[in-house]
Amino acid sequence: MVNAEAFELGTNRSCIRELFEYGLMRAKVVGKDQVYDFSLGNPCIPAPDDVHKTIEALLQDTDSLALHGYTSAIGDYETRAAIAADLNRRFDANAQAENLFITCGAAPGLCAVLGGLSVAGGKVLALAPYFPEYKPFTQGAGLEFDYVQADVPDFQIPFDALRKALTPNVVALIVNSPNNPAGTVYTEKTLQILSELLTEKAAEFGHPIYIISDEPYRELVYGDAKVSFIPKLYKDTIVCYSYSKSLSLPGERIGYVYVPSQAADSQAVYGAVAGAARKMGHVCAPSLWQKVIARCTALRPDLQAYDRNRRALYEGLTQMGYTVAKPEGAFYLFVKAPNGDSLAFSQMAKEKDLLIVPGEGFGCAGWVRLCYCVSYDTIMGSLPIFKNLIDAL
Ligand code: PLP
């Protein structure tokens, strides 16, 4: 006897992983350079040199227990204080170590926040296209999940539809800017309108509606786009941050939750996040990585390679006649399936060893996602295949 829902989740493979593994299998048959794999968001730029230098220095100077022993569940004070100082320097955030909870990345941070906000009958909203894991994370926390379709093709916030979806049982809205999969970055003006709407609805319902700001791509932004710090625009914001993409460390599992003091019931929320993390078996984030982060908060990624890929792919595809959402952040391109059927189009592409993810899982059928954190050669090699595909329709 096993839990049926857990079995379903554990055995119903994610389409992204399936494509990625198919790509590995095909690479053995046709050669790695003949497979154009845009499926998985594994950063292709290396972690900054200073990360490696910091590890080397720590290994020389720090004793084994301090490096590899347990830390407190909320994280090393030194790490939390360093992150708070970084947030204050960059965003004038008024953060303190006590507002930070160090996690094993954004995913468990999101689960802890959702678990902490879980009340009977509560609902969480997302804006489609959204990161597919939001649904199992929310439902796993005992909350209902629903989403609102973003405006197409710029994927901005659909305020009329959102207003209708904000029912009294909504406890939180997940905001992901820069967005996976559309690369959208919300402007400060958009976020101000959002803040006014949520403030109005929270007053009407008599309880806070939190923004859960999922920020793994905060530092991945191009051109003139600016990523606003949402707690400055809406006080009831809880931030889930990750170093997976900003420092190219996705396998190391390190990030944090930030519960600002000015957020409604801040201390209760922080305590509930800690309790929800405990229920999930969180003991502490990796000690070595906490020490690295404490010394590396000022490091930023070198985005040149991503930006070159972004421009080559966006320009190449739009010139061929594809409709593409212009990405201002993250490392994804969201493209309208030219035949209107994302499942059929990604299957046609797969037959040419071009691996792109249908938008269904992101709540956006009719679109496909390309992850452009790949080599420039992969981008250039894929363009003739995209051309053949659209010409053949
Ligand atoms: N949120 C979004 C939007 C993501 O794209 C990802 C990973 O791809 C995550 C959260 C999870 O990131 P982490 O590796 O920090 O758990």
Side-chain angles (χ1 to χ4, degrees), residues 204-240:
E204 185 185 324
F205 301 150
H207 64 77
I209 303 172
Y210 293 96
I211 285 182
I212 302 175
S213 182
D214 179 25
E215 304 190 354
Y217 303 100
R218 187 204 285 153
E219 327 301 351
L220 276 60
V221 62
Y222 311 101
D224 296 333
K226 185 174 161 281
V227 181
S228 299
F229 187 61
I230 303 182
K232 287 299 260 188
L233 301 168
Y234 184 66
K235 74 177 185 62
D236 295 340
T237 299
I238 304 166
V239 173
C240 297

Side-chain angles (χ1 to χ4, degrees), residues 104-108 110 131 134 176 180 214 216-217 242 244-245 250 253 332:
C104 302
L110 285 163
F131 179 53
Y134 292 159
N176 173 223
N180 171 10
D214 179 25
Y217 303 100
S242 164
S244 292
K245 321 284 171 163
R253 314 308 303 142
Y332 306 99

